[in-house]
Amino acid sequence: MAEIKSIGVAVIGGGAAGLMAAISAAKMGADVTLFEKNDRFGKKLAITGKGRCNVTNDCTVEEFLQNVPTNPRFLYSALGRFDTADTKDFFESAGVPLKVERGRRVFPVSDKADDIVKALIREAKAAGVRTAFEKVLSIDSADGKVNTVTTDKAVYAAGAVIICTGGKSYPRTGSDGDGYAFAKALGHTVTPLLPSLVPMTSQSKLCPSLQGLSLKNVSLSIVDRASGKEVYSDFGEMMFTHFGLTGPMILSASAHIPDAPSGKYEAHINLKPALDEKTLDARIIADFNKYANKDFVNALSDLLPQKLIPVVISLSGIDARKKVNSITKEERHALGDVIRCLRVSISGFRPINEAIVTKGGISVKEVNPKTMESKLCQGLYFAGEVLDVDAYTGGYNLQIAFATGVLAGESAAFATLS
């Protein structure tokens, strides 16, 4: 039998939550070993925010919780211990200057996610965290308390274990759901796992024809077709793909839709949100006067991206070869209606492995929100995306990882040292 090595706190997963948990436990004086199955830490963190890393959101705790649709109350203690201001202080003290952008999103001034990863690794090393690039195979317990961690290389006797293995999104970064299996084996419930912050699919023929077209400064509304109720609205960027829609607004919208059965929801895109109906009509009249002797198809290049023109013409019902000077007022208004409300049906979501965040996870009913310790197994703690807590885009999900990581790390350290 392999020799059993004794350690204090075992942290499983070297992402945002795991690194922060390990740092926090070590700073309390605990003997900490951080396990990571990849060959480096922070693999998913390094690609967040398109490689820029939206580390947190510069808002109050109450504002923060309004952006957490799943189990927000569970986070009161974690955010009370380590809020968004604490996250900013942590990274700036670690040598990473930060900046606040639109929507109060906080980024490193360098726009490099790698700077955030390196800062966490430096802090972990300075705090005395031991590292083990080993794949954890199981976490075992005896008499209702965790006792050993078995990896592909050794067996460790641990005083406490913190599971920070992430969700099931971006499996190539290591988030393949093994944390859920560990938790289940120790008696925990895992709620259904669904994609969140994910591209949407559509069966509309518009999408393949507009594939690759990126729209900026447009407004988006997601509407329940049966009730006519608007369930989400935003302003910003989006893109058409062969399968449907993606981009920042679409990813945000996906978190607001619990399900997307074919045909239930429709995206309404206002291509000219800065212009009200009257102003848009005046703009169209001006362009028609400019191109008075042209065919309709050749009179829209100042108003719309080239790729959109045939689509908008088709939806307007106006003959593409009709001379602009013979277009009627009613036809002009029909054109304006299409520009102000381009409709795209929504049929569903892309797979979970394309999602930024996993919705669902370890049931928070089985976790003490004041310590992040399991209510079912003494010495077992959780932090980050592995929990059934998720938020909208804007730095909220990373803040949850940091806050729960700090609370779990300090709690585990206190338990092993007392």
Side-chain angles (χ1 to χ4, degrees), residues 58-397:
D58 189 23
C59 63
T60 67
V61 170
E62 289 303 321
E63 289 170 329
F64 188 97
L65 294 174
Q66 289 171 13
N67 286 277
V68 182
T70 309
N71 299 315
R73 292 174 63 84
F74 177 78
L75 295 171
Y76 268 111
S77 293
L79 291 169
R81 168 60 193 92
F82 197 81
D83 64 14
T84 62
D86 293 318
T87 297
K88 289 171 65 182
D89 288 343
F90 174 89
F91 285 108
E92 297 214 305
S93 297
V96 184
L98 302 174
K99 60 182 177 180
V100 181
E101 295 188 357
R102 186 178 68 85
R104 295 187 287 190
R105 300 169 187 235
V106 180
F107 292 89
V109 169
S110 66
D111 284 330
K112 293 180 181 176
D114 197 47
D115 288 350
I116 297 296
V117 177
K118 286 177 179 176
L120 286 164
I121 294 170
R122 282 197 307 271
E123 291 296 304
K125 187 175 181 180
V129 174
R130 291 192 183 93
T131 57
F133 289 98
E134 301 173 25
K135 179 179 174 60
V136 173
L137 303 176
S138 67
I139 302 166
D140 299 300
S141 65
D143 301 321
K145 186 182 188 305
V146 291
N147 59 358
T148 58
V149 173
T150 302
T151 75
D152 54 355
K153 294 181 180 178
V155 179
Y156 300 84
V161 177
I162 310 174
I163 296 178
C164 306
T165 48
K168 287 199 75 173
S169 58
Y170 289 118
R172 70 181 185 276
T173 66
S175 297
D176 59 5
D178 53 1
Y180 304 126
F182 299 149
K184 277 186 177 179
L186 293 166
H188 277 272
T189 304
V190 177
T191 64
L193 305 174
L194 301 167
S196 185
L197 305 183
V198 66
M200 294 183 185
T201 58
S202 174
Q203 294 177 346
S204 170
K205 294 178 181 178
L206 289 183
C207 296
S209 68
L210 295 173
Q211 179 180 350
L213 176 65
S214 182
L215 300 177
K216 295 183 178 181
N217 302 318
V218 297
S219 65
L220 169 76
S221 297
I222 303 295
V223 177
D224 185 314
R225 296 178 71 179
S227 66
K229 181 182 177 184
E230 182 182 86
V231 297
Y232 179 77
S233 64
D234 202 356
F235 173 86
E237 299 179 30
M238 58 168 288
M239 188 171 77
F240 291 93
T241 71
H242 67 284
F243 60 73
L245 305 170
T246 190
M249 288 197 298
I250 300 299
L251 300 182
S252 296
S254 71
H256 293 255
I257 304 174
D259 59 336
S262 180
K264 182 175 181 181
Y265 297 104
E266 193 171 64
H268 292 181
I269 305 159
N270 186 340
L271 301 169
K272 297 292 178 183
L275 307 179
D276 60 21
E277 187 174 358
K278 187 177 179 181
T279 309
L280 175 60
D281 190 47
R283 168 65 195 275
I284 293 171
I285 290 170
D287 282 8
F288 282 7
N289 287 336
K290 180 179 178 181
Y291 298 107
N293 297 315
K294 299 271 189 179
D295 289 349
F296 179 43
V297 70
N298 298 319
L300 297 175
S301 56
D302 292 352
L303 190 64
L304 298 169
Q306 199 61 40
K307 211 166 190 176
L308 257 179
I309 291 174
V311 170
V312 169
I313 287 176
S314 175
L315 292 171
S316 75
I318 305 169
D319 182 349
R321 291 300 168 187
K322 188 171 187 177
K323 295 298 181 185
V324 170
N325 56 21
S326 63
I327 288 177
T328 67
K329 180 180 178 180
E330 289 72 23
E331 288 175 326
R332 198 177 69 238
H333 287 170
L335 171 63
D337 289 343
V338 174
I339 292 171
R340 296 181 71 241
C341 187
L342 182 66
R343 298 167 183 260
V344 181
S345 62
I346 304 298
S347 59
F349 300 128
R350 291 293 284 175
I352 197 167
N353 61 2
E354 294 181 28
I356 293 175
V357 172
T358 304
K359 184 186 287 288
I362 293 156
S363 173
V364 297
K365 294 176 182 177
E366 300 166 355
V367 180
N368 184 341
K370 294 183 179 179
T371 61
M372 296 295 132
E373 185 177 18
S374 165
K375 293 179 181 179
L376 310 180
C377 183
Q378 188 181 345
L380 178 66
Y381 299 80
F382 303 99
E385 194 181 342
V386 74
L387 290 159
D388 182 18
V389 182
D390 65 274
Y392 302 139
T393 185
Y396 303 104
N397 287 292

